[in-house]
Amino acid sequence: MSRSRGGIALVGVLVGALLGSGVVAWRFNELPFVARDMCWGSLSPDVAHALFSDTDVRSSELPLRRATEDHMHTECSMQGFGADELESEVTASVRTLGELRGAQAWSWTEEYLSSRMTPLGDGVTGMASSARAWVTLPASCEERSYEPGEKPPLRVVTLASGESDPDGQNEVDARRGLDAMSRAVVRLANGVIERYGCEGRYDDPPKLPRAPEGNELPDVDADRLCGIQGVRLPGWARGPEAKVVRTTPGAKPGAPSAGGVRACDVRQPFGPNRLRLMTVADPELAGVVSRVLGNRAARLGGDGQGAYAGGLSVYTAHCQSGRVAFVAHEWGRDGGSHDEESLSLAVLPSYVKAEAKRVGCGEVNVKTPDIPAT
């Protein structure tokens, strides 16, 4: 008994000394000196800490619910603290994209299919940047039986950190962030797959090409917009607004879309004006994009189906590989003599025609309201 009391006293002295020096800290229901995997046991301490810069990382999570309970299955928050102050946060989620409509569908599309996102490589349907990442869950994660020809809704795991399109990010931070996010989102997906009892597992991604930053961005070729022959900026849109362009890393004009998505942003170097052109050749993702505009949007004619509202134009076509979506989105223009016109509509027909041929859809013509080309 005396030896036990002495041992307890010694442990108490040691723990007190360590806590006083700030060496060890743990939360309720956690054992000291034991590394804890985060976010439903998916992320080991080294993978989770790589998402932050020299901070104390803490996490809290909701139960890993099934999609039948909530379209947003669940969330896990990882927070980085420095000197006991919150410095940064990364949020993991599991959600059903197949249920998104309207503004929710567009918000996800704008953040997670942007020109900053790099495809994760063969065998993994997903993308990553220094601030966003997503991976689809395999079809084996379905929760009920489906009728012949009926497909389960698309489900994804995501990671989000700060702004989706950070300005002024340096090359070192962009490289480090992309490496950390791409590895973490694949590990997260594997952990969810294991918890759900699904079949299939993803390998860690290779070192991915990152999106260009700052001075690396090339100038715009207004007669070969985004490197695509036949796609031109109208004369009234040329000038100081069109300065630099960013394209999905690894995507080349005339080649198949890496990961089924190719996006291109044309923008001012330090201004808000921007035009995004995007092709989504993955049929499930194209289905999400096709629902971003509601029934009140003005319809577009031609060989496919489409609509436009404000600066956003979306057009879809049914191709040999399934549905393909084409997007032209303009935002931030301050006005001018052609303010009543839509840059997205002016560029859309030539963009769809060129991209449809590239992805194997054949000839796809779009009918839009008359837009001046000069």
Side-chain angles (χ1 to χ4, degrees):
M1 179 71 72
S2 62
R3 285 196 299 270
S4 298
R5 287 175 179 170
I8 292 172
L10 178 59
V11 169
V13 170
L14 289 174
V15 170
L18 289 171
L19 285 176
S21 62
V23 175
V24 175
W26 66 87
R27 294 183 300 280
F28 182 69
N29 283 338
E30 293 181 8
L31 293 175
F33 311 110
V34 177
R36 189 177 73 92
D37 290 350
M38 299 181 182
C39 296
W40 316 294
S42 303
L43 301 181
S44 61
D46 64 310
V47 173
H49 280 72
L51 298 169
F52 301 86
S53 299
D54 299 327
T55 57
D56 171 29
V57 181
R58 311 170 192 177
S59 71
S60 59
E61 61 192 49
L62 297 173
L64 193 59
R65 299 186 298 271
R66 307 297 290 188
T68 49
E69 300 175 40
D70 190 349
H71 300 327
M72 172 69 80
H73 302 197
T74 191
E75 281 192 351
C76 171
S77 173
M78 291 172 284
Q79 298 177 326
F81 287 81
D84 254 354
E85 294 185 358
L86 179 63
E87 293 186 349
S88 57
E89 183 174 18
V90 178
T91 302
S93 70
V94 185
R95 70 183 310 164
T96 304
L97 291 188
E99 306 295 340
L100 299 184
R101 297 287 189 281
Q104 286 186 324
W106 175 243
S107 177
W108 193 91
T109 298
E110 188 176 24
E111 288 192 28
Y112 288 91
L113 300 183
S114 78
S115 62
R116 282 187 179 272
M117 307 297 292
T118 302
L120 289 174
D122 294 339
V124 183
T125 300
M127 306 179 81
S129 72
S130 61
R132 294 291 186 274
W134 62 273
V135 174
T136 62
L137 292 174
S140 61
C141 287
E142 62 190 42
E143 298 172 339
R144 63 177 177 83
S145 60
Y146 290 85
E147 297 296 329
E150 185 184 10
K151 292 185 178 180
L154 178 63
R155 298 189 178 103
V156 296
V157 296
T158 66
L159 285 175
S161 172
E163 297 292 330
S164 61
D165 192 9
D167 287 327
Q169 188 176 45
N170 63 59
E171 299 173 25
V172 174
D173 287 343
R175 175 77 265 168
R176 184 188 64 81
L178 174 60
D179 292 343
M181 292 288 281
S182 60
R183 183 171 67 151
V185 77
V186 170
R187 297 286 183 92
L188 179 66
N190 285 336
V192 172
I193 289 169
E194 183 177 353
R195 289 287 297 273
Y196 277 168
C198 316
E199 296 178 358
R201 187 175 179 83
Y202 300 126
D203 293 331
D204 282 344
K207 193 176 185 68
L208 303 175
R210 62 171 181 80
E213 300 289 342
N215 294 331
E216 299 175 303
L217 292 167
D219 291 336
V220 170
D221 183 347
D223 293 313
R224 192 184 173 92
L225 197 59
C226 296
I228 305 172
Q229 184 67 41
V231 182
R232 302 171 63 248
L233 277 177
W236 53 265
R238 303 188 184 201
E241 291 186 2
K243 284 295 185 181
V244 295
V245 62
R246 175 187 285 118
T247 305
T248 299
K252 298 180 180 179
S257 294
V261 178
R262 183 179 190 270
C264 172
D265 283 0
V266 180
R267 63 174 298 176
Q268 288 180 310
F270 305 105
N273 301 342
R274 187 178 306 179
L275 171 69
R276 174 171 296 171
L277 299 175
M278 179 166 59
T279 300
V280 182
D282 181 279
E284 289 187 298
L285 289 174
V288 176
V289 176
S290 70
R291 297 191 296 270
V292 303
L293 290 174
N295 295 329
R296 294 184 180 182
R299 313 315 294 179
L300 296 171
D303 299 321
Q305 295 180 326
Y308 70 96
L312 177 61
S313 302
V314 179
Y315 203 80
T316 60
H318 288 278
C319 308
Q320 292 182 349
S321 60
R323 180 184 291 177
V324 177
F326 308 93
V327 176
H329 180 221
E330 172 200 16
W331 67 101
R333 189 153 57 94
D334 296 327
S337 60
H338 290 281
D339 186 52
E340 73 280 2
E341 309 296 354
S342 169
L343 180 56
S344 69
L345 280 181
V347 176
L348 184 69
S350 62
Y351 177 72
V352 171
K353 192 168 187 175
E355 281 289 272
K357 290 181 180 179
R358 181 179 68 85
V359 298
C361 299
E363 188 82 11
V364 178
N365 294 296
V366 181
K367 292 183 179 180
T368 68
D370 292 336
I371 300 293
T374 59

